[in-house]
């Protein structure tokens, strides 16, 4: 009697047959188990005694199924060639933990395989097969659904996106004291349409302002789209080609609608690969405009003399981390180095580098799969060693995913480094031409500006005394009346008694954690109106906060937070110009 | 090509855009059995509608495939949200279950006195129902319902983008 196969397993096999092409089959049959891939994989390096992490071993899980059902030898002599079918939902779940939890699709094993086996590509395909039957980590489901239905992978609503662009536009005008320094939205016939990662809107709007500053000073005719603006693509991570195509198509169609001549993609490894390299195939579209990484755009502006930079403004020692998707999959590794030469005084190479660099370990959607976090951080030992060996204080990367991944690694291994992007360094080094303005000299009248936070009461909650003191000092220096709490219970007590206008709230605290404090205050009518800015060193807890059945926080920041970022966000939340 | 079709005294219209931001009396949310809003349109509902919707849903018992629950829409533009639990991820008998979900959604909306109701492409996108099949079943179900005795005046089908819109437009044109 033949063994019963579950409905999902049937569908998995059915779709596997549809997905096999020459590239996949080549990779599935070519492996000679030489072991070269094992030395290339950061998971193996961290788990040398566990063979289940070896790329060849992981690959064999799908290879056995392929042999059993699609290779003639395996169909006839499965026992001879190691063909083995899949029958149960439990087996599919087990496969899920391998393809999502033990690989970041970084492709380092692929480029080190002498037989040309591209394990990462069919690991991605296996992910897609599982997703098609509804088997995936919760985080992958959450992010995929956001990108399918809201149009971006962080669930940023259109009104919040536009609001952030307008806010950054106002900031730029103020900083440059120039009314023409704006972020144009949906402007037709521009030379550049600039697309971004939703992380920039939600957690790092300063990168948008920095890019705008560079475009403005270059005299660029540019715009940002009101819709279809997300250049990231979770389809690359989840293996869902339909999602990949839908997301890419939305962006391409918007650029065409605006009659833009060039699509510039902000610094994001998987976004660049998805939009520039994979998207046209997924979407099945011919693209009638150019596409370019913002790294190349910035380099071009400097070379063409459209912007001038002063590298002595960036003197802290810097190293560069190559994003896997940029470097290994797209060959984008010399341009960021040329740009670094121009905007920093001291940058050191990390070894190995370029296409041989190790993954930040947060790639392939790993940052959204909290169930695998301990394994991920364990596998990051080689990355931590690489970073430490450089002696740099800042690690620069051209990828938002790597920013989060590296931040986590640095925190976990206590490396004391900062993470930055090229756009931040270029903006900081930018020489702003002085405006020649003839001003009539009025009668001398001293204008004393009031501190911006005067009259505001702010409660700062954090269990780390150093951070508490730092935030308090910044806020007090700007005129706020500051209250402090080192734990959740005191925070609730002070919030009830003092009714502050705003509270900054750490999540991970002993006793009552920040999440509980937040929900308790939101559920109490007396404190529900207090504005809250979550400031946490645990980015993986974001979703837990937004999933609570209460109004979401007004702000959210990842540690470390500098003075400018803190003030920028406090002013935004309190709606201060 | 026309983006609307009259069925007796009612009309079916296609409107491209974000269903959760639509100026309409009620819209359908493709829900899970536990009625947890989750991400995607569920996230939009939570953010735009406020916590009262979640609070109402938490009091409802788990539903089966094909079941429907109508909630208030909090601070959204719509007055009601029709939470419809449809088939997902290549489930067995997807076609039959999707049709049942459609008919129950229309029926429950009508029972609530709703006159104008919007549907997203039910189960397409994240849940993987192929768009041509989705468009065909949805429009046939709506037509069948509107041909009976009904007070529903307008049914809007609201695809999010061109990729979704085109198959619905084609299906609407060929709706006999």
């Amino acid at each position: 009697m033949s063994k019963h196969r579950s409905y999902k397993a049937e569908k998995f096999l059915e779709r596997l047959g549809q997905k096999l092409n020459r590239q996949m089959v080549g990779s599935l049959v070519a492996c000679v188990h030489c072991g070269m891939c094992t030395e290339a994989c950061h998971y193996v390096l961290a788990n040398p005694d566990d063979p289940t992490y070896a790329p060849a071993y992981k690959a064999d899980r799908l290879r056995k199924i392929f042999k059993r059902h699609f290779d003639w030898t395996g169909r006839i002599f499965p026992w001879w060639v190691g063909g083995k079918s899949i029958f149960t939902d439990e087996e599919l779940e087990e496969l899920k933990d391998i393809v999502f939890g033990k690989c970041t699709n970084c492709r380092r094993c692929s480029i080190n395989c002498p037989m040309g086996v591209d394990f990462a590509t069919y690991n991605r395909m296996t992910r897609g097969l599982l997703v098609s039957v509804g088997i995936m980590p919760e985080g992958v489901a959450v992010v995929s659904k956001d990108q399918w239905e809201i149009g971006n992978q962080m669930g940023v609503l259109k009104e919040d996106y536009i609001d952030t662009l307008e806010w950054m536009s106002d900031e730029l005008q103020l900083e440059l004291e120039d009314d023409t320094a704006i972020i144009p939205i949906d402007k037709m016939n521009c030379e550049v349409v600039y697309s971004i990662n939703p992380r920039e809107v939600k957690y790092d709007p300063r990168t948008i302002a920095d890019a705008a500053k560079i475009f403005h000073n270059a005299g660029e005719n540019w715009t940002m789209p009101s819709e279809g603006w997300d250049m990231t693509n979770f389809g690359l991570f989840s293996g869902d080609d339909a999602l990949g195509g839908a997301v890419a198509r939305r962006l391409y169609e918007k650029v065409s609608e605006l009659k833009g001549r060039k699509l510039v993609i902000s610094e994001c490894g998987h976004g660049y690969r998805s939009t520039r390299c994979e998207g046209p195939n997924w979407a099945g579209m011919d693209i009638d405009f150019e596409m370019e990484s913002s790294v190349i755009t910035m380099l071009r502006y400097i070379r063409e003399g459209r912007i001038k930079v002063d590298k002595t403004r960036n003197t802290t020692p810097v190293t560069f981390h190559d994003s896997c998707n940029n470097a290994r999959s797209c060959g984008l590794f010399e341009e960021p180095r040329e740009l670094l030469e121009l905007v920093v005084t001291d940058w050191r190479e990390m070894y190995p580098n370029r296409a041989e660099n190790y993954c930040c370990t947060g790639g392939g959607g790993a940052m959204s799969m909290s169930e695998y976090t301990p394994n991920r951080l364990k596998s990051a030992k080689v990355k931590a060693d690489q970073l430490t060996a450089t002696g740099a204080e800042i690690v620069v990367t051209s990828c938002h995913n790597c920013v989060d991944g590296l931040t986590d690694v640095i925190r976990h291994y206590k490396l004391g480094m900062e993470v930055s992007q090229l756009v931040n360094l270029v903006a900081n080094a930018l020489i702003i031409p002085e405006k020649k303005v003839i001003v009539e000299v009025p009668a001398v009248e001293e204008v004393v500006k009031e501190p911006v936070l005067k009259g505001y009461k702010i409660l700062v909650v954090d269990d780390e005394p150093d951070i508490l003191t730092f935030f308090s000092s910044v806020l007090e220096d700007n005129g706020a009346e500051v209250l402090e709490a080192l734990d959740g219970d005191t925070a609730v007590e002070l919030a009830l008694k003092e009714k502050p206008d705003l509270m900054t709230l750490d999540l991970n605290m002993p006793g009552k954690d920040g999440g509980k404090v937040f929900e308790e205050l939101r559920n109490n009518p007396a404190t529900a109106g207090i504005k809250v800015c979550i400031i946490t060193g645990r980015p993986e807890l974001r979703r837990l906060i937004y999933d609570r059945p209460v109004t979401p926080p007004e702000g959210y920041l990842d540690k470390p937070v500098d003075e400018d970022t803190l003030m920028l966000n406090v002013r935004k939340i309190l709606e201060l110009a | 090509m026309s983006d609307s079709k009259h069925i007796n005294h009612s009309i079916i219209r296609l409107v491209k855009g974000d269903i959760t931001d639509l100026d309409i009396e009620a819209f359908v949310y493709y829900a899970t059995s536990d009625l947890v809003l989750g991400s995607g349109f569920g996230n939009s509902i939570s953010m735009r509608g406020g916590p009262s919707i979640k609070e109402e849903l938490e009091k409802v018992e788990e539903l089966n495939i094909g079941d429907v629950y109508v909630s208030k829409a909090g601070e959204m533009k719509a007055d009601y949200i029709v939470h419809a639990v449809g088939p997902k991820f290549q489930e067995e008998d997807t076609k039959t279950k999707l049709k049942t979900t459609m008919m129950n959604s229309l029926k429950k909306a009508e029972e609530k006195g709703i006159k104008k109701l919007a549907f997203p492409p039910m189960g397409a996108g994240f849940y993987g129902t192929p768009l041509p099949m989705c468009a065909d079943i949805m429009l046939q179900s709506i037509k069948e319902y509107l041909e009976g005795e009904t007070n529903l005046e307008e049914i809007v089908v609201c695809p999010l983008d061109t990729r979704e819109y085109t198959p619905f437009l084609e299906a609407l044109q060929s709706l006999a």
Side-chain angles (χ1 to χ4, degrees):
Chain A
M1 202 174 100
S2 64
K3 198 171 168 184
H4 173 73
R5 184 174 287 115
S6 75
Y7 182 78
K8 284 185 179 180
E10 283 285 357
K11 288 288 166 187
F12 177 93
L13 290 174
E14 189 181 304
R15 194 157 289 204
L16 172 59
Q18 294 161 7
K19 284 283 178 186
L20 288 174
N21 55 25
R22 194 162 55 177
Q23 182 193 14
M24 294 296 175
V25 173
S27 280
L28 284 161
V29 300
C31 179
V32 292
H33 297 90
C34 67
M36 291 287 281
C37 54
T38 56
E39 288 165 27
C41 175
H42 56 274
Y43 280 101
V44 177
L45 295 177
N47 301 278
D49 301 324
D50 186 347
T52 66
Y53 283 96
Y57 176 89
K58 292 181 273 192
D60 271 356
R61 302 305 293 265
L62 186 67
R63 190 173 287 122
K64 284 172 189 292
I65 301 169
F66 164 77
K67 288 262 185 198
R68 177 66 185 86
H69 290 275
F70 301 99
D71 183 286
W72 72 268
T73 54
R75 283 203 302 265
I76 300 169
F77 315 112
W79 45 269
W80 187 26
V81 295
K84 191 179 173 206
S85 190
I86 195 158
F87 291 94
T88 65
D89 290 356
E90 289 72 29
E91 287 173 311
L92 292 173
E93 287 286 341
E94 195 190 330
L95 196 56
K96 176 197 80 175
D97 287 333
I98 293 170
V99 298
F100 285 101
K102 292 186 171 181
C103 175
T104 57
N105 279 358
C106 79
R107 297 191 70 236
R108 198 164 188 276
C109 62
S110 302
I111 64 160
N112 281 285
C113 175
M115 302 305 292
V117 173
D118 192 349
F119 168 60
T121 299
Y122 73 83
N123 192 66
R124 176 181 176 273
M125 178 187 73
T126 313
R127 288 181 173 197
L129 298 174
L130 291 167
V131 165
S132 78
V133 292
I135 293 181
M136 66 195 104
E138 175 65 19
V140 170
V142 166
V143 179
S144 299
K145 195 162 184 285
D146 268 343
Q147 197 158 30
W148 267 117
E149 296 177 359
I150 298 186
N152 65 84
Q153 59 166 284
M154 286 197 175
V156 177
L157 300 182
K158 185 177 179 181
E159 54 268 34
D160 295 332
Y161 166 71
I162 299 291
D163 186 43
T164 303
L165 294 193
E166 288 173 350
W167 165 40
M168 286 298 109
S169 199
D170 292 346
E171 290 286 329
L172 191 65
Q173 283 183 322
L174 277 173
E175 185 187 341
L176 300 181
E177 296 178 342
D178 182 349
D179 290 346
T180 66
I182 57 164
I183 297 177
I185 301 171
D186 281 351
K187 192 176 155 195
M188 295 291 293
N189 300 304
C190 284
E191 186 62 30
V192 164
V193 177
Y194 186 54
S195 60
I196 59 170
N197 182 318
R199 182 184 173 279
E200 299 180 65
V201 184
K202 208 156 181 174
Y203 308 115
D204 198 6
R206 176 64 79 171
T207 57
I208 304 171
D210 282 348
K213 196 166 149 184
I214 294 163
F215 284 128
H216 176 74
N217 278 281
E220 188 60 271
N221 178 19
W222 73 293
T223 192
M224 291 184 75
S226 62
E227 287 173 338
W229 50 269
D230 181 6
M231 54 70 178
T232 71
N233 199 322
F234 214 73
L236 182 71
F237 296 156
S238 69
D240 184 350
D241 290 343
L243 174 60
V247 174
R249 178 176 281 268
R250 286 172 196 160
L251 177 53
Y252 299 154
E253 285 182 348
K254 189 65 187 178
V255 178
S256 294
E257 180 194 316
L258 293 173
K259 299 190 188 307
R261 280 180 282 281
K262 183 180 284 182
L263 172 62
V264 171
I265 301 154
S266 80
E267 289 177 84
C268 177
H270 97 271
Y272 181 65
R273 179 178 165 192
S274 301
T275 305
R276 171 81 177 75
C277 309
E278 312 280 3
N281 290 329
W282 288 334
M285 283 177 76
D286 289 325
I287 310 301
D288 58 359
F289 48 83
E290 288 177 49
M291 291 190 266
E292 180 175 270
S293 160
S294 63
V295 174
I296 296 173
T297 313
M298 291 186 284
L299 185 60
R300 198 161 45 76
Y301 287 162
I302 298 175
R303 281 178 177 163
E304 292 170 359
R306 291 174 69 174
I307 57 171
K308 298 209 179 318
V309 286
D310 174 6
K311 63 159 73 175
T312 63
R313 292 181 187 171
N314 293 317
T315 55
T316 310
V318 158
T319 187
F320 184 72
H321 162 84
D322 288 282
S323 128
C324 302
N325 283 309
N326 278 339
R328 260 193 287 284
S329 293
C330 301
L332 181 67
F333 43 69
E334 296 306 340
E335 292 86 349
R337 286 170 169 77
E338 287 178 42
L339 194 50
L340 273 175
E341 289 284 355
L342 296 167
V343 297
V344 302
T345 56
D346 177 0
W347 91 270
R348 298 113 185 253
E349 196 61 90
M350 187 189 300
Y351 295 96
N353 54 54
R354 294 173 171 81
E356 286 287 349
N357 186 34
Y358 284 102
C359 179
C360 69
T361 68
M367 295 303 288
S368 65
M369 307 174 213
S370 55
E371 61 268 56
Y372 306 126
T373 299
N375 266 357
R376 172 170 63 79
L377 288 171
K378 186 182 176 192
S379 78
K381 177 71 169 59
V382 63
K383 188 80 245 170
D385 291 345
Q386 263 192 301
L387 290 167
T388 307
T390 65
E393 291 174 37
I394 297 175
V395 53
V396 177
T397 184
S398 282
C399 174
H400 279 280
N401 206 49
C402 295
V403 170
D404 281 341
L406 292 169
T407 302
D408 228 15
V409 173
I410 289 166
R411 189 180 305 114
H412 182 74
Y413 288 95
K414 298 185 172 51
L415 306 183
M417 296 173 80
E418 284 179 31
V419 187
S420 187
Q421 293 198 285
L422 280 161
V423 69
N424 309 122
L425 296 174
V426 174
N428 194 49
L430 201 60
I431 298 171
I432 311 287
E434 282 188 28
K435 282 199 292 185
K436 290 177 186 168
V437 183
I438 300 165
V439 183
E440 282 183 30
V441 181
V444 177
E445 188 180 322
E446 196 175 338
V447 179
V448 180
K449 275 193 180 173
E450 286 216 324
V452 68
L453 297 179
K454 189 168 184 267
Y456 287 93
K457 196 186 281 186
I458 301 177
L459 171 58
V460 180
V461 186
D462 203 301
D463 64 325
E464 292 181 55
D466 290 351
I467 292 177
L468 197 70
T469 306
F470 171 63
F471 288 169
S472 297
S473 306
V474 171
L475 297 169
E476 274 170 357
D477 288 349
N478 282 280
E481 180 190 341
V482 176
L483 310 159
E484 295 180 346
L486 277 160
D487 58 71
D489 289 317
T490 314
V492 172
E493 195 183 315
L494 278 172
L496 279 164
K497 189 175 155 201
E498 299 286 343
K499 307 280 187 320
D501 301 290
L502 165 71
M503 69 188 289
T504 70
L505 180 60
D506 185 21
L507 289 184
N508 199 22
M509 295 187 290
K512 188 179 283 178
D513 67 39
K516 285 186 189 139
V517 172
F518 174 66
E519 193 167 339
E520 191 174 326
L521 294 179
R522 280 290 202 252
N523 281 327
N524 185 340
T527 52
I530 297 173
K531 293 179 173 173
V532 176
C533 181
I534 304 286
I535 304 183
T536 178
R538 301 274 304 275
E540 70 274 19
L541 299 178
R542 280 174 197 159
R543 178 56 60 186
L544 296 177
I545 283 294
Y546 284 94
D547 274 354
R548 287 174 189 267
V550 292
T551 309
E554 282 75 15
Y556 201 112
L557 289 171
D558 285 344
K559 290 177 186 172
V561 177
D562 61 24
E563 181 175 346
D564 286 349
T565 308
L566 179 65
M567 281 306 298
L568 198 66
N569 283 274
V570 167
R571 284 168 56 192
K572 153 91 171 160
I573 293 167
L574 294 174
E575 296 173 5
L576 301 169
Chain B
M1 284 201 285
S2 171
D3 59 1
S4 63
K5 196 167 200 109
H6 284 274
I7 308 282
N8 293 339
H9 65 276
S10 312
I11 186 168
I12 307 174
R13 283 199 303 126
L14 291 185
V15 176
K16 192 169 75 171
D18 177 355
I19 194 169
T20 63
D21 201 29
L22 210 59
D23 205 354
I24 195 152
E25 193 180 357
F27 68 86
V28 175
Y29 175 57
Y30 204 80
T32 49
S33 298
D34 56 10
L35 293 181
V36 170
L37 288 171
S39 62
F41 289 137
N43 188 17
S44 305
I45 291 169
S46 302
M47 301 286 274
R48 291 183 176 137
S52 65
I53 303 168
K54 277 183 182 174
E55 281 161 17
E56 181 181 343
L57 295 173
E58 277 167 1
K59 293 171 192 152
V60 184
E61 283 186 14
E62 190 149 322
L63 303 181
N64 294 315
I65 299 288
D67 288 350
V68 170
Y69 175 78
V70 183
S71 78
K72 289 191 176 154
E75 294 159 34
M76 304 190 80
K77 289 180 185 170
D79 297 325
Y80 297 101
I81 301 168
V82 177
H83 304 261
V85 183
K88 299 170 177 77
F89 300 117
Q90 307 184 70
E91 200 170 303
E92 284 179 275
D93 301 325
T94 289
K95 288 183 181 177
T96 315
K97 288 173 180 170
L98 185 55
K99 176 151 191 186
T100 307
T101 311
M102 284 298 299
M103 298 309 260
N104 284 345
S105 301
L106 292 156
K107 191 167 156 242
K108 285 276 184 186
E110 175 135 34
E111 283 169 11
K112 203 79 178 175
I114 292 163
K115 300 267 192 291
K116 295 181 179 182
L117 175 66
F119 283 91
M122 300 278 278
F126 176 64
Y127 294 117
T129 304
L131 277 167
M133 180 174 112
C134 173
D136 187 47
I137 294 172
M138 280 183 66
L139 293 175
Q140 286 293 345
S141 305
I142 295 168
K143 176 174 173 278
E144 192 180 315
Y145 190 89
L146 294 181
E147 281 172 344
E149 203 170 303
T150 177
N151 290 318
L152 281 168
E153 293 169 4
E154 181 178 0
I155 303 296
V156 170
V157 178
C158 187
L160 188 63
D161 53 27
T162 317
R163 191 192 67 94
E164 289 183 347
Y165 185 85
T166 307
F168 274 92
L169 187 62
E170 285 166 3
L172 189 68
Q173 299 304 317
S174 57
L175 195 63

